[in-house]
Amino acid sequence: MSDSKDYLLGTDQAETQRLGMQHRLWAESAVSVWERAGVRVGSHILDLGSGPGFIASDLAELVGPDGSILGIESSPLFTQQFRDRMKALGLPWAEIIEGDLHDLTQLIGDRAGLFDVVYSRWVPCFLEDTGAVVKQAAAALKPGGRLAIQDYFSYDTLRLAPRVPVFEKVIAAITKMWNQTGDLDVMGDMPRYMREAGLELVELEVVHRIARPSEPIWDWPTIFWPNFIPRVVEAGAITQETADEFYQAWTDATNNPDAFVMLPPVFEAIAVKPE
Ligand SMILES: C[S@@+](CC[C@H](N)C(=O)[O-])C[C@H]1O[C@@H](n2cnc3c(N)ncnc32)[C@H](O)[C@@H]1O
């Protein structure tokens, strides 16, 4: 099942599962950002592009019932899954509004200026106008509140070692296709977007991981390929033959204890709204 407001990676059950696994593999780094952004018991948090709610349920447990989480999400399927998840987990202080982040101010209405933390992970890289969304995120914060973002810069440095030409060809095609609607270098502009929104950048860091086939993080790209590569073939950016060669190269690497992959760098930017 896929819904009408499909984002680039699709909104279906397979993508929900991928997002869940991805969240587990990156949870440690997310928790570290939340701590540095000032998430505490009782915090009021806005989660932009919340997906099915994997982040929001963790945050809801951290802030407790004296705090609150408000997710914003454009996919009706993910929005429903978010509500089901919070109900099943008994976290009624985590709510969601279905809508487009470009309309953030309108969507949150009189909650503007009340949030301690606005957080977003792997969402700006899909947006048409990240600068406009960052301005609205800044307006959502209370004075002294923080905006924390995790996303990509230099995604096309994703490399398999030893190097394999078909791997690099497919990564180049993925990057080109993604950049037609989004921006896989979006964190390169984040300091400017934050400054133009009246925020002060207080931290800019990068998490650049490598993965070996024996490590859990190897599964992160492994679960991404079958989700996205068929879309790259469908769009005509690569042939099925190239995709098959790519899958074979990945299988060979998985069986090669000497192989490793250099993952795309995930940047972390934290900015404060002046008092
Ligand atoms: C890669 S997922 C990340 C989900 C979640 N932030 C996480 O890290 O697990 C990107 C999410 O952003 C949502 N999204 C993309 N563009 C959006 C927009 N313009 N407005 C609202 N949500 C959007 C997608 O539907 C998807 O749920």
Side-chain angles (χ1 to χ4, degrees):
M1 188 176 120
S2 193
D3 65 48
S4 54
K5 294 176 193 166
D6 228 7
Y7 89 115
L8 187 68
L9 306 185
T11 50
D12 53 21
Q13 197 50 34
E15 175 63 357
T16 299
Q17 281 163 3
R18 190 191 71 81
L19 289 172
M21 289 184 212
Q22 173 172 258
H23 178 60
R24 287 297 148 224
L25 290 166
W26 282 88
E28 202 182 311
S29 122
V31 170
S32 158
V33 170
W34 301 340
E35 286 177 356
R36 286 180 277 137
V39 171
R40 298 287 182 275
V41 168
S43 293
H44 298 285
I45 302 178
L46 182 60
D47 175 23
L48 305 180
S50 45
F54 298 109
I55 288 169
S57 56
D58 283 3
L59 282 171
E61 285 169 353
L62 281 171
V63 303
D66 290 338
S68 67
I69 313 296
L70 178 62
I72 307 288
E73 171 55 50
S74 57
S75 154
L77 176 68
F78 288 167
T79 303
Q80 189 52 50
Q81 289 178 336
F82 181 112
R83 292 196 176 110
D84 294 345
R85 182 174 179 81
M86 300 315 156
K87 196 169 174 195
L89 294 172
L91 300 167
W93 55 94
E95 295 173 72
I96 188 159
I97 297 175
E98 184 185 318
D100 192 310
L101 287 171
H102 295 90
D103 305 324
L104 184 63
T105 301
Q106 190 192 326
L107 292 170
I108 63 172
D110 59 11
R111 297 196 227 192
L114 298 180
F115 292 94
D116 298 293
V117 176
V118 178
Y119 176 70
S120 193
R121 181 182 65 178
W122 291 315
V123 176
C125 64
F126 297 102
L127 298 177
E128 207 180 298
D129 189 350
T130 297
V133 173
V134 168
K135 279 191 182 129
Q136 295 179 72
L141 285 169
K142 59 171 69 154
R146 290 181 177 216
L147 171 64
I149 302 207
Q150 290 179 275
D151 213 325
Y152 297 120
F153 173 67
S154 199
Y155 182 94
D156 56 0
T157 53
L158 176 48
R159 286 275 183 290
L160 191 55
R163 292 178 83 149
V164 180
V166 73
F167 187 86
E168 292 171 27
K169 182 176 173 182
V170 171
I171 296 306
I174 288 175
T175 308
K176 193 173 168 200
M177 181 172 154
W178 196 316
N179 283 338
Q180 280 165 10
T181 51
D183 181 4
L184 280 171
D185 280 323
V186 70
M187 291 305 276
D189 289 311
M190 198 52 72
R192 177 172 60 85
Y193 292 144
M194 288 174 154
R195 180 179 47 76
E196 288 175 356
L199 302 174
E200 285 169 17
L201 184 66
V202 290
E203 270 194 53
L204 185 62
E205 302 286 343
V206 62
V207 178
H208 201 183
R209 298 168 80 171
I210 63 159
R212 297 179 61 202
S214 55
E215 296 169 337
I217 191 68
W218 185 264
D219 297 337
W220 186 43
T222 302
I223 58 175
F224 177 69
W225 310 135
N227 168 298
F228 195 56
I229 289 179
R231 294 170 195 274
V232 185
V233 174
E234 206 180 312
I238 57 169
T239 62
Q240 185 58 51
E241 201 185 3
T242 300
D244 291 342
E245 249 183 81
F246 175 91
Y247 291 132
Q248 189 55 54
W250 188 253
T251 303
D252 292 346
T254 304
N255 294 322
N256 176 4
D258 299 329
F260 68 90
V261 65
M262 185 167 77
L263 296 166
V266 179
F267 281 71
E268 306 170 341
I270 303 175
V272 65
K273 180 168 178 169
E275 299 271 0

